[in-house]
Amino acid sequence: MTAPRPAPTAGDGPAIEARELSRRFGAFLAVDRVSFEVERGEIFGYLGANGAGKSTTIRMLTGLLAPTSGTGRVAGFDVRTEPEAVKASIGYMSQKFSLYLDLPVRENLVFFGGAYGLWGKALARRADEVLALADLRDAGDVTTGDLPGGVRQRLALACAILQRPRIVFLDEPTAGVDPVARRTFWRIIRELAREGTTVFVTTHYLDEAEYCRRIGLMVDGRLVALDTPAALKATWVPERLLVARGRDLARAGERLRGLPGVQHVVRFGAALHVRVAPGGVSEEAVAAALRSAGASDVAVEGAEPSLEDVFLAVVGANGRGAEAAS
Amino acid sequence: MAAGPTPDGGAAPAAVAARGLARRFGPVTALDGLSFEVARGELFGLVGPDGAGKTTAIRALAGLVRLDGGEARVLGVRAGARELRERLGLMPQQYSLYRDLTVEENLRFFSRLYVLPRAVYRERVARLLAITRLERFTDRRADALSGGMYKKLALACALLHEPEVLLLDEPTNGVDPVSRRELWALLGEFVHGGMTVLVSTPYMDEAERCTRVALVHRGRALLQGEPSALIAQFQDEAYEVHGGDRDLLDARLAALPPVREASPAGARLKVVVARGARDEVAAALAPLGATLAPAAPDFEDLFLSSIRRAS
């Protein structure tokens, strides 16, 4: 019995290639001339607000939805003319993946394996492999419906990689998943990438996006930024970033908006992120202004911007008002 | 922040009181003696991992789940009592709007459910549409709204009858960072206007925005209090790791007993270490070319190490 062969690929170009890819729904242009390439073995993050066109892009690249114009190639196959070859080459975990909740975990794998043409000992062996990879070794006999949400997401991922796809598309795989489970999930994604799998992933958790080698950012159907996390930070948050912590900061933060050089004041949990242009106020001046506005236990220090700072800057610069971010 | 009047202090009863809530579903213990209290005007967070019991607790407070034990009261009245219908708002995780109706039609439908007079309805809808910034989309069908807009419409519907207490179950799941901020800014305004809000969330930055939180695990409250006070009482130490190869570091850190948590999230690697174990960890990382620098613990560090210790 031989192990199942890796899914087919054609040629040796990029894993994923979009050229002027567009999709219109009636009068609504959901995806507007999007172009990018994803290299083999890369973790590529695709970010954007709700309704920005991320899922529509994925549905075109997975051969589920025909582009209105433009071209997409995945694993060397054309998504418009060879959608079946595309589907055979990839794994896809959609936002609304379906598992059989009344079946044990292993039987879900057997069911999906059957759909991919796996059977017998090869399927059993592969099921063991993906259970181990997804950290579900001891869960094979558990009824799927009894699993917590985060564990169920891992089973959905296990199903998506059963056929050893060289490319996986993960659409918000960690939505609603707690921090502990998210970490486990990303350990698995990184493991897949280390083995050479190309990962195309969307998320609203921007701390996770730091794991991506490169990130594309969509606003209103257009791809408006594409680079490594470090380069995005340098480009989109060129100002000094100060982080203020303390008590009763929220209302006091309003007072900062008039200070010299202060461009944005945004809440991050209990803290404030203050973006200051060169030559603007110092840490001490920000702290003093916050104290005089009623905040206490104030500490202000410089920090590296997060990808969430980048996201807010990009979205703010491309349409939706900056006040949305406060 | 003041704790508010206590229920036995003779003042007004707590907005929400959960006392020893217990509920099993077959072999699963969802609530195992969960207790917490929310004073009027608080923004209180229920924080915990998947399956901790947050949703069951909120459903119990809304009177939608029968308890095996304990007592759930809202505004001094037994949860589920008819008189709470007009005083309590609920936004469950899967909020059912009519997907084939427009924004405006959904709002009108829910206003009829609450039997609002026409003039009151008009005034409230105008205000809710303005603060949710949905005015321009009143003709759009609910199924054509983005995830964030749908949540905001659901929130508007849950607020039409101007409840005194609002319960929200993970309202920002799947909502993008900008819409998430808008939703929280709205909650802040409602609380500022005197409403009591109880919200469950898996986002640690949202937990930090609450006046008080309860960290729920396996149906019980592990910790509760002001987020900043809880962080201040943090028993472990947090450090940032500088230098070294990320994969080698991950493997090494996973094998070190005093390392409670290594959080690779973000560009930098943060570790939570048992008090006093800094030198031991630093010595173990030195051969990998990595050093430790002190870092401020945040709510996520607290969450991860509390859950780890309790598991």
Side-chain angles (χ1 to χ4, degrees), chain A residues 240-244 274 283 299-305, chain B residues 268:
Chain A
R240 245 178 341 131
L241 182 77
L242 305 181
V243 175
V274 185
E283 279 92 331
V300 179
E301 56 178 17
E304 186 193 333
Chain B
R268 288 163 297 179

Side-chain angles (χ1 to χ4, degrees), chain A residues 219-276:
Chain A
V219 177
D220 294 338
R222 290 176 304 120
L223 185 64
V224 296
L226 171 63
D227 220 321
T228 61
L232 287 173
K233 290 172 188 175
T235 305
W236 289 91
V237 191
E239 308 92 341
R240 245 178 341 131
L241 182 77
L242 305 181
V243 175
R245 299 184 178 279
R247 296 165 70 89
D248 302 317
L249 283 179
R251 306 254 157 214
E254 298 294 324
R255 200 69 72 79
L256 298 178
R257 291 179 203 272
L259 294 182
V262 170
Q263 303 192 316
H264 291 272
V265 181
V266 179
R267 279 191 77 167
F268 272 70
L272 295 176
H273 284 200
V274 185
R275 278 157 56 189
V276 183

Side-chain angles (χ1 to χ4, degrees), chain A residues 5-285:
Chain A
R5 247 168 306 164
T9 55
D12 50 6
I16 304 169
E17 195 180 352
R19 288 270 164 272
E20 302 275 303
L21 197 63
S22 301
R23 174 69 205 201
R24 184 177 286 285
F25 295 107
F28 177 60
L29 194 52
V31 175
D32 185 5
R33 288 163 295 156
V34 162
S35 300
F36 61 86
E37 284 181 6
V38 181
E39 290 164 29
R40 296 185 180 215
E42 186 173 17
I43 302 180
F44 187 86
Y46 207 53
L47 310 182
N50 300 115
K54 302 186 300 295
S55 296
T56 304
T57 306
I58 288 187
R59 288 173 62 213
M60 287 193 278
L61 291 174
T62 49
L64 297 171
L65 179 72
T68 309
S69 63
T71 57
R73 295 187 80 80
V74 171
F77 299 110
D78 187 303
V79 298
R80 186 198 309 272
T81 58
E82 303 168 286
E84 295 312 315
V86 168
K87 285 180 208 163
S89 314
I90 60 163
Y92 172 41
M93 181 176 160
S94 72
Q95 276 180 35
K96 301 252 181 278
F97 59 85
S98 303
L99 296 167
Y100 289 92
L101 297 184
D102 54 337
L103 290 183
V105 164
R106 179 176 280 278
E107 286 182 33
N108 265 298
L109 289 170
V110 168
F111 174 83
F112 283 97
Y116 291 131
L118 289 172
W119 58 283
K121 280 188 187 148
L123 172 55
R125 202 157 43 224
R126 182 62 187 153
D128 285 338
E129 282 174 19
V130 295
L131 283 174
L133 183 68
D135 215 355
L136 292 169
R137 226 175 265 101
D138 304 323
D141 299 326
V142 177
T143 303
T144 303
D146 290 342
L147 297 173
V151 181
R152 232 183 267 171
Q153 309 275 105
R154 295 212 301 268
L155 175 57
L157 176 65
C159 291
I161 59 173
L162 260 177
Q163 58 160 342
R164 295 179 189 277
R166 306 300 300 157
I167 304 169
V168 292
F169 289 87
L170 310 175
D171 198 359
E172 291 189 29
T174 52
V177 173
D178 70 69
V180 184
R182 289 204 286 129
R183 266 156 218 220
T184 309
F185 201 96
W186 272 90
R187 209 173 58 224
I188 298 162
I189 291 180
R190 289 162 73 207
E191 182 64 38
L192 281 174
R194 252 197 302 277
E195 291 171 358
T197 308
T198 306
V199 179
F200 186 102
V201 59
T202 70
T203 181
H204 290 310
Y205 294 93
L206 297 185
D207 56 343
E208 326 183 315
E210 298 273 2
Y211 291 121
C212 300
R213 203 177 76 75
R214 287 188 307 146
I215 287 167
L217 229 154
M218 286 197 88
V219 177
D220 294 338
R222 290 176 304 120
L223 185 64
V224 296
L226 171 63
D227 220 321
T228 61
L232 287 173
K233 290 172 188 175
T235 305
W236 289 91
V237 191
E239 308 92 341
R240 245 178 341 131
L241 182 77
L242 305 181
V243 175
R245 299 184 178 279
R247 296 165 70 89
D248 302 317
L249 283 179
R251 306 254 157 214
E254 298 294 324
R255 200 69 72 79
L256 298 178
R257 291 179 203 272
L259 294 182
V262 170
Q263 303 192 316
H264 291 272
V265 181
V266 179
R267 279 191 77 167
F268 272 70
L272 295 176
H273 284 200
V274 185
R275 278 157 56 189
V276 183
V281 285
S282 65
E283 279 92 331
E284 293 73 29

Side-chain angles (χ1 to χ4, degrees), chain B residues 93-141:
Chain B
Q93 261 185 63
Q94 308 291 336
Y95 198 96
S96 296
L97 297 170
Y98 287 89
R99 295 186 161 267
D100 55 340
L101 296 186
T102 65
V103 167
E104 166 98 51
E105 287 166 341
N106 267 292
L107 285 164
R108 201 179 311 138
F109 172 85
F110 282 95
S111 81
R112 288 193 183 141
L113 214 59
Y114 296 122
V115 208
L116 296 184
R118 270 191 82 82
V120 173
Y121 165 75
R122 265 196 234 102
E123 183 270 319
R124 283 189 193 168
V125 163
R127 202 163 48 82
L128 287 169
L129 286 174
I131 57 179
T132 52
R133 301 208 288 133
L134 288 169
E135 303 117 310
R136 288 188 296 123
F137 304 101
T138 50
D139 292 336
R140 193 178 282 199
R141 276 165 52 136

Side-chain angles (χ1 to χ4, degrees), chain B:
Chain B
M1 191 93 10
T6 55
D8 52 356
V16 173
R19 295 197 194 100
L21 304 186
R23 176 64 208 244
R24 294 174 67 88
F25 295 105
V28 179
T29 302
L31 295 174
D32 188 16
L34 177 64
S35 297
F36 62 90
E37 216 163 84
V38 183
R40 286 189 189 231
E42 265 197 296
L43 174 51
F44 191 95
L46 285 181
V47 187
D50 293 333
K54 305 185 297 291
T55 297
T56 309
I58 286 181
R59 292 172 62 92
L61 288 165
L64 299 173
V65 161
R66 194 177 39 76
L67 290 168
D68 297 334
E71 188 186 31
R73 298 183 85 82
V74 176
L75 296 163
V77 180
R78 186 181 49 78
R82 204 178 153 70
E83 60 177 290
L84 283 177
R85 217 183 102 164
E86 283 163 18
R87 305 175 70 191
L88 180 73
L90 170 68
M91 183 169 154
Q93 261 185 63
Q94 308 291 336
Y95 198 96
S96 296
L97 297 170
Y98 287 89
R99 295 186 161 267
D100 55 340
L101 296 186
T102 65
V103 167
E104 166 98 51
E105 287 166 341
N106 267 292
L107 285 164
R108 201 179 311 138
F109 172 85
F110 282 95
S111 81
R112 288 193 183 141
L113 214 59
Y114 296 122
V115 208
L116 296 184
R118 270 191 82 82
V120 173
Y121 165 75
R122 265 196 234 102
E123 183 270 319
R124 283 189 193 168
V125 163
R127 202 163 48 82
L128 287 169
L129 286 174
I131 57 179
T132 52
R133 301 208 288 133
L134 288 169
E135 303 117 310
R136 288 188 296 123
F137 304 101
T138 50
D139 292 336
R140 193 178 282 199
R141 276 165 52 136
D143 58 6
L145 296 175
S146 71
M149 286 161 71
Y150 186 93
K151 294 274 184 176
K152 286 194 282 186
L153 176 57
L155 183 61
C157 290
L159 288 170
L160 264 176
H161 62 302
E162 296 201 334
E164 293 164 59
V165 176
L166 177 64
L167 311 177
L168 304 117
D169 193 9
E170 302 196 0
T172 54
N173 274 359
V175 174
D176 70 70
V178 174
S179 302
R180 204 154 74 79
R181 288 182 142 71
E182 289 178 349
L183 211 87
W184 272 83
L186 284 181
L187 294 184
E189 281 174 36
F190 299 145
V191 170
H192 196 62
M195 194 182 288
T196 305
V197 174
L198 173 71
V199 58
S200 71
T201 179
Y203 282 97
M204 297 300 121
D205 58 335
E206 296 184 348
E208 284 188 2
R209 293 186 72 153
C210 297
T211 48
R212 285 193 309 137
V213 295
L215 211 166
V216 184
H217 184 51
R218 296 185 174 159
R220 273 188 238 218
L222 286 182
L223 292 170
Q224 49 190 308
E226 279 178 57
S228 58
L230 292 175
I231 292 168
Q233 294 159 17
F234 192 49
Q235 295 164 27
D236 302 321
E237 295 168 1
Y239 296 95
E240 263 178 24
V241 182
H242 294 290
D245 174 77
R246 180 61 70 91
D247 290 333
L248 292 176
L249 283 173
D250 283 351
R252 189 75 191 93
L253 289 166
L256 283 174
V259 175
R260 304 241 191 257
E261 202 53 58
S263 10
R268 288 163 297 179
L269 180 60
K270 199 170 180 188
V271 290
V272 174
V273 171
R275 182 143 297 213
R278 181 208 163 115
D279 292 348
E280 181 188 348
V281 174
L285 297 185
L288 300 175
T291 55
L292 294 182
D298 59 20
F299 200 83
E300 182 153 334
D301 298 324
L302 173 77
F303 175 88
L304 290 169
S305 51
S306 302
I307 299 290
R308 175 64 52 88
R309 201 174 290 128
S311 296

